């Protein structure tokens, strides 16, 4: 009886141990590979969220600025000021696929602000999107403000990607038809009959498309990219 | 011995298992809590963003809703038109609040003014003090105007001592779902009220006025091209030329609470005004040079204001043609008003104006620079709400290339747009004819005596051949060619207003008028062209402070 008992509790054979270790390694390996995948996914999503948040903040500010563009207009002051006055805003006065310049009283203090958004495609830390803002200098036409009143553009969105065939800024008229920006529309005259002025007045919506990229995913397989599109109507245009 | 060995071995294994299990549970709990916290943060960010957007568009929606109700004949038009002066204590009718509660909230006179801050009462009109209406005074004693001496804006109204008592200066307006969708119901929009006032000369912003020569409390009118200041009790519609009051709409939107998120609060302000009648200054008003050919009659005396004391007709009216020497007729118009020159080419005509009878000379105003009409803007403005002519138009339009291109809507014969009044030149009574605003999307040739009244908008070139009877305005983007009046008595009572051809350098690009045409300027034909249209939005912005 004791002999029988002793033989039963004498331990596992080497073969049994090898089998157990083998099975365990399969199970643990499976579990860890799932954890690894979850972790990769988590890092990717985390980065995407950061990129999305960054883009959304920027697009929110961009659309807010556009909605104020052109306020206050010269007609609100009985036309006693021309476009060079610090009290009157012309709205969007320069637009190309990589730059939008506008005038608007964005902070409600009565003094118009000069705001320029630029897509800077230069080397690190760019490509990036920049925003420059400064109170308008009195007595200087909008298109001369940049020279007379240089401002420091602040980088708002980093890690931008220039995607072929995808302009950063687009414009459309009241029917939603695209307005070509192949040649930048740049105001250089205060005359109401100026054809550029009339063309700018047909722009009722400005769109923005931003593609940013983060690091490669932890597997090193592909780069994380997020694209976001926004559009704002220009109620004062 | 066996028991002892077993106990020793067994107790050790149980301890490790417990430790590992506890560790795993703690680790998992930490991960879980961290994930939930992150998800919650992201959720809050998303909720805030969504609510903020929703509040902004709800505020805009409120202003737009009220704007539509301010159209001539609209629900709020009469009340708004009755606002004569600026907001003043003791006058209830100069400030209107359009209220828009949902099914579970109460918004009334007290809601707008009670509390001392937005934290107390999110519905409070804390923007009112910023407007600096000079007649509105603090509720405290001694009464002091809201305008600060230095011109710097006062702090937002804090209710109580800052705002006069509710019953003394405004009228709350509650509308039905026919006017404000969902009002009073669970599906109401998130705007809570819209304040309507006249716009004041003193705007409060950095001590600026619309007109520095006018008093702070002057009222602002819209004359079609700019804002002008008039004494506070003046009716804008009695001015010459006719103007309309500028209404200031301030719209507050609040979104409801979501969990711990208090909801968003955003405010939008909009200036709107009905467009004054589009009074073209001459029977032919065009940016392009004008070429007259064949026979023509241009009469710049106003057909509807002649008041000579003789010869009333069987209707009791006095016909223009019956007034000796056009006595009593409005004689302010020229025969032609053009951004180019006027040329008479091999024809002979009859031109009548108080300034002379030579269309190439004193009877016309030529080379007007800058050209005061933005035809693109006018067409955009007037085609909204116009009926679209059911023509099959081909091609594409490119308005700002040189030369511009237009769609082609072909040749249309015997067209009727509304009804042409009978009995002219005796002015028709309102209601005896149907006036329309008709939009033709491209160039068109009208033949065989088109007729109608109102505004005919042609988004291209207009060619008329074989007669026309029109009472009102022809608004044309491009070139006008009118070469065949078909010997009708008068082809046009009113005016033709055309633009474009900015780059016209030779007579081939001129507007051509000739072939027995007969145009007669008529103020009455043009003054009621806007009826039923909502007021124009002059400016809008979001309030930020």
């Amino acid at each position: 009886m004791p002999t029988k008992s002793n033989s039963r509790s004498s331990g596992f054979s080497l073969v049994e141990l090898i089998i157990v270790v083998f099975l365990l390694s399969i199970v643990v390996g499976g579990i860890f590979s799932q954890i690894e995948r979850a972790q990769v996914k988590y890092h990717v999503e985390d980065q995407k969220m950061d990129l999305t948040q960054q883009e959304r903040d920027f697009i929110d500010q961009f659309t807010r600025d556009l909605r104020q563009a052109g306020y206050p207009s010269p007609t609100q002051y009985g036309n006693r000021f021309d476009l060079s006055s610090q009290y009157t805003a012309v709205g969007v006065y320069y637009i190309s696929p990589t730059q939008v310049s506008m005038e608007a009283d964005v902070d409600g203090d009565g003094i118009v602000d000069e705001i320029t958004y630029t897509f800077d495609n230069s080397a690190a830390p760019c490509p990036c999107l920049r925003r420059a803002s400064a109170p308008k200098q009195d007595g200087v036409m909008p298109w001369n403000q940049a020279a007379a009143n240089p401002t420091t553009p602040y980088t708002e969105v980093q890690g931008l990607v220039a995607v072929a065939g995808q302009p950063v800024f687009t414009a459309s008229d009241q029917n939603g038809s695209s307005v070509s920006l192949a040649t930048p529309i740049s105001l250089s005259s205060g005359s109401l009959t100026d054809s550029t002025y009339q063309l700018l007045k047909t722009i009722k919506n400005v769109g923005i498309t931003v593609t940013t990229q983060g690091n490669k995913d932890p597997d090193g397989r592909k780069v994380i990219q997020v694209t976001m599109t926004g559009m704002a109507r220009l109620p004062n245009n | 011995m066996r028991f002892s060995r077993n106990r020793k071995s067994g107790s050790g294994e149980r301890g490790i298992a417990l430790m590992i299990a506890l560790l795993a549970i703690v680790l998992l709990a930490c991960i879980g809590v961290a994930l939930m916290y992150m998800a919650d943060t992201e959720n809050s960010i998303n909720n805030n963003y969504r609510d903020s957007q929703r509040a902004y568009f709800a505020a805009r929606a409120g202003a737009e809703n009220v704007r539509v109700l301010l159209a001539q004949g609209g629900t709020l038009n009469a009340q708004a038109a009755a606002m004569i002066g600026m907001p003043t204590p003791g006058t209830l009718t100069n400030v209107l609040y359009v209220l828009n509660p949902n099914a579970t909230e109460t918004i009334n006179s007290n809601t707008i003014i009670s509390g001392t801050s937005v934290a107390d009462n999110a519905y409070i009109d804390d923007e009112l003090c910023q407007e600096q209406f000079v007649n509105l005074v603090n509720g405290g004693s001694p009464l002091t105007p809201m305008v600060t001496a230095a011109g710097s804006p006062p702090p937002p109204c804090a209710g109580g001592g800052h705002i006069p008592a509710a019953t003394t200066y405004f009228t709350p307006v509650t509308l039905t779902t026919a006017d404000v969708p969902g009002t009073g119901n669970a599906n109401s929009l998130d705007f809570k009220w819209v304040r309507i006032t006249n716009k004041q000369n003193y705007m409060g912003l950095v001590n600026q006025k619309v007109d520095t020569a006018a008093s702070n409390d002057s009222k602002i009118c819209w004359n079609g091209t700019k804002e002008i200041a008039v004494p506070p009790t003046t009716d804008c519609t009695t001015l010459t030329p006719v103007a309309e009051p500028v209404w200031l709409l301030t719209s507050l939107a609040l979104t409801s609470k979501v969990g711990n998120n208090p909801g968003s609060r955003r405010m939008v302000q909009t200036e709107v005004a009905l467009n004054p009648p589009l009074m073209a200054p001459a029977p032919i008003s065009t940016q392009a040079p004008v070429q007259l050919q064949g026979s023509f009659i241009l009469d710049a005396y106003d057909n509807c204001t002649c008041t000579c004391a003789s010869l009333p007709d069987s209707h009791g009216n006095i016909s223009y043609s019956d007034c000796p020497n056009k006595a009593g007729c409005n004689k302010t118009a020229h025969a032609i008003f053009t951004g180019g020159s006027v040329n008479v080419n091999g024809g002979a005509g009859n031109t009548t104006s108080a300034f002379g009878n030579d269309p190439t000379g004193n009877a016309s105003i030529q080379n007007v620079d800058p050209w005061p009409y933005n035809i693109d803007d006018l067409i955009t403005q007037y085609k909204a709400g116009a009926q679209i002519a059911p023509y099959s138009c081909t091609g594409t339009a490119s308005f700002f290339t040189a030369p511009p291109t237009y769609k082609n809507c072909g040749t249309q014969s015997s067209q009727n747009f509304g009804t042409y009044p009978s009995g002219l030149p005796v002015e028709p009574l309102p209601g005896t004819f149907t006036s329309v605003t008709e939009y033709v999307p491209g160039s068109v040739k009208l033949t065989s005596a088109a007729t109608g009244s109102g505004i005919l908008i042609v988004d291209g070139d207009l060619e008329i051949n074989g007669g026309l009877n029109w009472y009102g305005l022809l608004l044309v983007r491009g070139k006008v060619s009118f070469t065949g009046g078909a010997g009708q008595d008068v082809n046009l009572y009113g005016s033709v207003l055309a633009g474009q051809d900015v780059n016209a350098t030779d007579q081939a690009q001129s507007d051509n008028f000739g072939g027995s045409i007969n145009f007669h300027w008529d103020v009455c034909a043009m003054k009621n062209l806007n009826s039923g249209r909502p007021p124009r939005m002059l400016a809008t912005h979001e309030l930020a402070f």
Side-chain angles (χ1 to χ4, degrees):
Chain A
M1 194 62 183
T3 308
K4 198 176 178 186
S5 165
N6 280 346
S7 79
R8 209 183 280 141
S9 62
S10 64
F12 301 106
S13 71
L14 182 62
V15 175
E16 283 173 325
L17 271 175
I18 289 172
I19 291 171
V20 167
V21 169
F22 177 71
L23 286 176
L24 266 180
S25 66
I26 290 176
V27 171
V28 171
I31 290 171
F32 271 89
S33 79
Q34 288 303 316
I35 291 174
E36 174 72 8
R37 281 182 60 182
Q39 230 174 0
V40 168
K41 191 84 180 162
Y42 169 76
H43 281 295
V44 170
E45 291 303 321
D46 194 40
Q47 273 211 28
K48 275 189 182 173
M49 209 144 63
D50 282 350
L51 294 174
T52 306
Q53 211 68 268
Q54 186 189 211
E55 290 176 0
R56 190 157 62 185
D57 266 3
F58 178 77
I59 289 177
D60 190 35
Q61 183 170 37
F62 181 69
T63 50
R64 277 183 188 239
D65 285 343
L66 282 170
R67 286 176 193 140
Q68 304 283 75
Y71 183 89
S73 68
T75 56
Q76 288 178 268
Y77 287 101
N79 286 352
R80 66 191 174 91
F81 298 124
D82 68 7
L83 295 181
S84 69
S85 166
Q86 63 176 339
Y87 299 118
T88 60
V90 71
V92 173
Y93 62 88
Y94 182 96
I95 182 165
S96 75
T98 56
Q99 185 183 329
V100 175
S101 297
M102 70 186 95
E103 291 188 336
D105 175 16
V106 289
D107 50 10
D109 66 354
I111 304 292
V112 167
D113 300 281
E114 292 289 328
I115 299 163
T116 294
Y117 284 89
T118 323
F119 169 55
D120 184 344
N121 200 16
S122 61
C126 287
C128 55
L129 274 167
R130 296 175 185 272
R131 176 182 186 271
S133 159
K136 184 174 180 179
Q137 198 166 77
D138 204 18
V140 179
M141 282 297 186
W143 48 92
N144 294 327
Q145 285 281 338
N149 188 16
T151 51
T152 311
Y154 292 98
T155 301
E156 305 270 345
V157 182
Q158 281 184 307
L160 238 74
V161 192
V163 180
Q166 177 188 289
V168 178
F169 302 112
T170 54
S172 56
D173 65 13
Q174 58 172 358
N175 301 318
S177 306
S178 173
V179 174
S180 171
L181 303 179
T183 307
I185 305 174
S186 174
L187 189 67
S188 57
S189 150
S191 167
L192 294 180
T193 55
D194 182 82
S195 59
T196 307
Y197 178 84
Q198 294 196 354
L199 180 55
L200 280 168
K201 283 289 168 193
T202 64
I203 295 177
K204 300 296 182 194
N205 304 289
V206 172
I208 179 170
T209 307
V210 184
T211 299
T212 49
Q213 73 178 26
N215 303 321
K216 285 189 172 179
D217 65 26
D219 284 353
R221 281 178 299 201
K222 55 184 179 184
V223 175
I224 300 164
Q225 283 195 353
V226 172
T227 301
M228 192 178 275
T229 303
M231 181 174 277
R233 195 164 169 79
L234 303 175
N236 294 307
N237 209 24
Chain B
M1 183 66 186
R2 191 179 64 196
F3 174 72
S4 162
R5 188 186 64 206
N6 283 351
R7 191 180 57 180
K8 192 178 176 186
S9 160
S11 77
E13 284 168 6
R14 271 201 303 277
I16 289 171
L18 186 62
M19 291 278 285
I20 291 174
L22 283 174
L23 206 65
I25 287 170
V26 168
L27 200 67
L28 283 173
C30 286
I31 292 172
V33 168
L35 279 173
M36 280 173 63
Y37 180 76
M38 285 172 62
D40 193 48
T41 306
E42 289 303 323
N43 207 23
S44 291
I45 292 171
N46 286 330
N47 278 340
N48 282 339
Y49 183 73
R50 184 200 59 194
D51 275 11
S52 170
Q53 295 295 308
R54 183 172 162 160
Y56 171 76
F57 286 106
R60 285 286 304 277
E64 287 294 323
N65 198 152
V66 167
R67 184 170 79 95
V68 169
L69 299 177
L70 288 169
Q72 283 173 349
T75 310
L76 293 171
N77 181 269
Q79 265 179 295
M83 297 191 301
I84 297 301
M86 287 302 123
T88 308
T91 305
L92 301 178
T93 52
N94 283 349
V95 183
L96 304 174
Y97 279 94
V98 177
L99 308 178
N100 182 39
N102 62 28
T104 57
E105 65 190 349
T106 303
I107 303 179
N108 56 30
S109 300
N110 286 324
T111 319
I112 295 163
I113 61 150
S114 63
T116 55
S117 69
V118 174
D120 281 348
N121 171 23
Y123 299 88
I124 191 174
D125 186 356
D126 58 337
E127 170 64 17
L128 188 66
C129 291
Q130 300 276 356
E131 317 289 13
Q132 306 201 50
F133 290 120
V134 294
N135 299 327
L136 272 192
V137 293
N138 291 353
S141 178
L143 300 179
T144 48
M146 286 180 176
V147 178
T148 55
S152 58
C157 294
H162 283 184
I163 307 179
T167 51
T168 62
Y169 71 99
F170 69 85
T171 306
V173 181
T174 304
L175 298 172
T176 65
T177 51
D179 289 324
V180 181
T183 188
N185 296 321
N187 63 345
S188 68
L189 291 172
D190 284 329
F191 74 90
K192 299 306 173 188
W193 48 254
V194 179
R195 164 161 44 85
I196 311 172
T197 62
N198 286 317
K199 184 182 173 182
Q200 180 182 258
N201 184 32
Y202 186 78
M203 293 187 283
L205 293 173
V206 289
N207 211 5
Q208 282 299 322
K209 301 178 187 178
V210 174
D211 183 349
T212 47
S215 64
N216 279 353
D217 66 341
S218 292
K219 176 177 171 177
I220 300 303
C221 302
W222 169 248
N223 73 1
T225 53
K226 66 177 184 180
E227 295 183 357
I228 51 174
V230 298
T233 54
T234 302
D235 182 352
C236 298
T237 59
T238 61
L239 300 176
T240 305
V242 177
E244 294 285 348
V246 176
W247 292 312
L248 191 65
L249 312 181
T250 309
S251 176
L252 170 85
L254 283 174
T255 58
S256 50
K257 291 181 181 177
V258 179
N260 293 328
N261 181 359
S264 284
R265 185 180 197 272
R266 289 177 83 165
M267 222 185 242
V268 163
Q269 198 164 63
T270 301
E271 291 175 22
V272 301
L274 290 165
N275 267 319
L278 183 53
M279 293 284 187
I284 295 177
S285 311
T286 174
Q287 195 170 358
V290 174
Q291 174 158 273
L292 298 168
Q293 55 197 15
S295 64
F296 55 89
I297 297 174
L298 293 177
D299 197 329
Y301 288 168
D302 179 12
N303 184 56
C304 80
T305 56
C306 298
T307 56
C308 62
S310 62
L311 302 171
D313 63 15
S314 57
H315 298 91
N317 294 315
I318 299 163
S319 297
Y320 164 86
S321 54
D322 293 332
C323 287
N325 303 318
K326 283 55 174 185
C329 298
N330 176 342
K331 298 175 182 174
T332 57
H334 285 74
I336 297 173
F337 183 85
T338 173
S341 57
V342 179
N343 178 38
V344 177
N345 183 20
N350 191 348
T351 305
T352 307
S353 88
F355 306 95
N357 301 324
D358 177 8
T360 62
N362 291 340
S364 302
I365 297 182
Q366 302 177 44
N367 302 311
V368 178
D369 185 30
W371 179 249
Y373 296 96
N374 184 335
I375 297 291
D376 183 62
D377 192 39
L378 286 173
I379 289 180
T380 302
Q381 213 181 97
Y382 281 89
K383 82 176 183 185
Q387 61 186 41
I388 299 172
Y391 305 149
S392 167
C393 304
T394 56
T396 53
S398 176
F399 298 141
F400 301 107
T401 52
T405 58
Y406 307 123
K407 288 183 180 176
N408 182 1
C409 299
T411 301
Q412 311 291 341
S413 71
S414 305
Q415 297 294 300
N416 299 312
F417 307 99
T419 55
Y420 182 70
S422 60
L424 283 161
V426 177
E427 283 294 328
L429 296 171
T432 60
F433 60 101
T434 307
S435 179
V436 297
T437 302
E438 188 88 11
Y439 174 71
V440 179
S443 296
V444 69
K445 180 177 182 180
L446 297 175
T447 60
S448 307
T451 69
S453 67
I455 309 180
L456 178 64
I457 304 168
V458 179
D459 218 347
D461 296 332
L462 172 65
E463 184 179 354
I464 294 175
N465 197 276
L468 172 80
N469 277 128
W470 193 266
Y471 182 75
L473 181 72
L474 302 174
L475 182 59
V476 184
R477 181 182 288 277
K479 181 182 161 101
V480 180
S481 178
F482 196 147
T483 54
Q488 292 167 323
D489 183 19
V490 174
N491 301 112
L492 173 67
Y493 284 99
S495 177
V496 52
L497 177 58
Q500 204 54 255
D501 289 1
V502 186
N503 303 312
T505 51
D506 57 46
Q507 290 297 319
Q509 290 175 287
S510 301
D511 290 342
N512 297 315
F513 297 91
S516 308
I517 63 151
N518 189 338
F519 288 0
H520 199 152
W521 198 57
D522 193 322
V523 168
C524 295
M526 293 185 278
K527 75 180 177 187
N528 287 321
L529 295 175
N530 288 314
S531 49
R533 298 177 51 76
R536 169 183 178 150
M537 191 172 75
L538 304 176
T540 187
H541 69 134
E542 185 175 4
L543 295 167
F545 50 79

